[in-house]
């Protein structure tokens, strides 16, 4: 069977590392024009920074902080065909500073989606990759919002960009009654105000009366699972140094893990900061800390396997999101799972 690479050089997702120069710098080699870029300084303490095409360049929000959106003139100043441009802000481009950028492709600024009871200002959709971004104005009353994916999202990350309120995360593995908070360590929490105890559909997601999902100006990042490219799942740790193996069906390029049964960090691993096993360097989505190191797990040809009994990774219940390293897809549109 013939195979074609659908994610070569990151057609839809890619990690790009770079070193700052203290001035203005064009970062290339992403492999596409990103619509959602998440940047973290690695060599010292500094906030995570998220910029997307709908909110616009220089507009930043912070996964580790509940603060409202801010304007950073020295931040990410342009999206380009193969990357992005950054100014002189220390969060993006300090002289000799080291940075990780994680980049996803949607579909430009998009247009209004009218599938829900709230019409979005813009919804940018990449149905092939299962990723969309929606901007909408919350009402404070139970409502639905269109996501444009055409399939049911497995994970949605919400931020009220006009107020200092916590991030909210929906994950299918937790169900519609529970939510997580991206900017802190809290365990899964029962909260009917977040999603009104209602699961997303192939056209809309539901929001309750929470100010974290349905007040002021909102942004929602929606992810649907695509076989061989992305996976949004859960696992139970075995509390053993010969740790749990988690099957994804592909070799991961990037994963984020969160313990849901207890308080713990959001851990991020990628294949650019760790170019061989074991995966040791990690960043934490909910803290401003730079790179830390711990012998945690291996990326395998079809998933990831833990090498520790540490409760951060392998002693309790967990959710994860994962993206593939250049999956190969056959002429029948079914990805290969081996390398």
């Amino acid at each position: 069977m013939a195979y074609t690479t659908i994610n070569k050089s990151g057609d839809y997702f890619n990690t790009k590392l770079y070193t700052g120069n203290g001035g203005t710098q064009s970062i290339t080699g992403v492999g596409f024009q990103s619509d959602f870029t998440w940047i973290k300084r690695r060599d010292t303490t500094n906030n995570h920074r998220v910029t997307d095409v709908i909110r616009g360049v220089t507009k930043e929000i912070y996964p580790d902080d509940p603060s409202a959106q801010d304007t950073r003139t020295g931040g990410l100043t342009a999206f380009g065909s193969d990357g992005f441009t950054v100014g002189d802000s220390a969060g993006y481009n300090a002289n000799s500073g080291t940075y990780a950028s994680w980049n996803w492709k949607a579909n430009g600024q998009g247009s209004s989606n009218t599938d829900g009871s709230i019409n979005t200002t813009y919804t940018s959709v990449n149905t092939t990759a299962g990723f969309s971004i929606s901007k909408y104005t919350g009402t404070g009353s139970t409502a639905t919002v269109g996501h444009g994916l055409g399939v049911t999202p497995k994970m949605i990350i919400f931020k009220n960009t006009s107020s200092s309120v916590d991030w909210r995360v929906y994950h299918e593995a937790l169900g519609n009654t529970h939510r997580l908070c991206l900017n802190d360590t809290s365990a899964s929490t029962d909260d009917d105000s977040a999603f009104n105890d209602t699961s997303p559909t192939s056209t809309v997601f539901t929001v309750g009366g929470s100010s974290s999902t349905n007040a002021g100006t909102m942004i929602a990042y929606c992810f649907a699972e695509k076989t061989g490219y992305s996976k949004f799942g859960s696992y139970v740790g075995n509390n053993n140094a010969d740790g749990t193996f988690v099957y994804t069906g592909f070799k991961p390029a990037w994963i984020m893990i969160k313990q849901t049964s207890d308080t713990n960090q959001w851990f991020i691993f990628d294949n650019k900061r760790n170019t061989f096993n074991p995966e040791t360097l990690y960043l934490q989505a909910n803290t401003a800390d730079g790179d830390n190191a711990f012998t945690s797990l291996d990326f395998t040809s079809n998933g990831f396997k833990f090498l520790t009994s540490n409760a951060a990774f392998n002693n309790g219940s967990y959710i994860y999101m994962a993206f593939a390293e250049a999956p190969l897809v056959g002429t029948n549109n079914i990805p290969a799972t081996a390398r």
Side-chain angles (χ1 to χ4, degrees):
M1 179 180 291
Y3 287 94
T4 57
T5 303
I6 65 166
N7 195 33
K8 185 177 181 181
S9 301
D11 289 343
Y12 307 123
F13 168 79
N14 203 5
T15 298
K16 175 65 180 178
L17 307 181
Y18 65 95
T19 301
N21 67 10
T24 299
Q25 183 174 188
S26 178
I27 308 301
T28 59
V30 169
F32 55 84
Q33 182 162 326
S34 177
D35 296 306
F36 170 48
T37 293
W38 178 342
I39 292 173
K40 179 67 182 79
R41 187 168 179 181
R42 303 170 54 202
D43 59 311
T44 191
T45 300
N46 208 296
N47 289 111
H48 294 254
R49 319 276 171 150
V50 165
T51 308
D52 64 68
V53 69
I54 288 181
R55 292 180 300 110
V57 296
T58 74
K59 306 301 183 185
E60 62 182 17
I61 47 179
Y62 319 98
D64 58 297
D65 192 301
S67 296
Q69 176 178 285
D70 197 6
T71 299
R72 185 79 53 181
T73 57
L76 193 154
T77 59
F79 289 111
S81 61
D82 188 34
F84 52 89
T85 300
V86 289
D88 60 1
S89 170
Y92 297 85
N93 194 30
N95 188 37
S96 300
T98 57
Y99 297 83
S101 74
W102 304 304
N103 304 273
W104 285 263
K105 182 173 179 58
N107 191 24
Q109 190 174 56
S111 59
S112 177
N113 181 297
T114 59
D115 290 338
S117 60
I118 296 176
N119 294 339
T120 68
T121 309
Y122 296 103
T123 295
S124 177
V125 187
N126 183 340
T127 56
T128 303
F131 175 54
S132 74
I133 309 169
S134 287
K135 179 180 178 181
Y136 61 97
T137 300
T139 64
S141 300
T142 299
T144 58
V145 181
H147 54 69
L149 291 171
V151 294
T152 303
K154 300 279 191 177
M155 185 169 179
I156 308 174
I157 301 174
F158 297 86
K159 181 68 182 83
N160 179 332
T161 64
S162 54
S163 298
S164 182
V165 294
D166 288 332
W167 293 66
R168 286 291 178 259
V169 178
Y170 165 85
H171 197 289
E172 183 188 57
L174 300 176
N176 58 39
T177 62
H178 283 65
R179 51 81 172 169
L180 291 166
C181 177
L182 185 63
N183 56 276
D184 72 24
T185 63
S186 59
S188 171
T189 302
D190 190 333
D191 180 4
D192 61 6
S193 71
F195 320 120
N196 197 46
D197 291 356
T198 306
S199 298
T201 71
S202 61
T203 56
V204 299
F205 56 83
T206 298
V207 289
S210 171
S211 61
S212 291
T213 57
N214 192 17
T217 304
M218 296 294 311
I219 200 80
Y221 304 109
C222 300
F223 298 90
E225 198 167 277
K226 294 295 179 177
T227 302
Y229 168 70
S230 60
K231 188 76 173 175
F232 307 90
S234 62
Y235 67 91
V236 176
N238 65 10
N239 192 27
N240 193 301
D242 182 12
T244 298
F245 169 72
V246 181
Y247 177 81
T248 61
F250 53 77
K251 184 172 186 178
W254 186 95
I255 60 173
M256 181 163 67
I257 298 164
K258 174 69 176 77
Q259 187 179 26
T260 59
S261 53
D262 206 343
T263 56
N264 228 312
Q265 317 294 334
W266 291 80
F267 293 95
I268 300 173
F269 298 88
D270 63 64
N271 65 350
K272 300 295 177 65
R273 288 177 299 128
N274 297 283
T275 56
F276 52 84
N277 286 326
E279 296 281 318
T280 56
L281 292 177
Y282 64 83
L283 289 161
Q284 299 167 125
N286 59 291
T287 79
D289 294 351
D291 269 331
N292 287 287
F294 182 77
T295 302
S296 306
L297 70 159
D298 284 342
F299 283 175
T300 73
S301 64
N302 58 356
F304 51 97
K305 178 175 172 55
F306 292 97
L307 308 173
T308 176
S309 61
N310 191 297
F313 310 106
N314 191 35
N315 185 10
S317 298
Y318 303 80
I319 56 95
Y320 67 89
M321 62 187 300
F323 294 89
E325 177 184 287
L328 298 178
V329 173
T331 53
N332 63 354
N333 205 36
I334 297 176
T337 59
R339 292 173 56 84

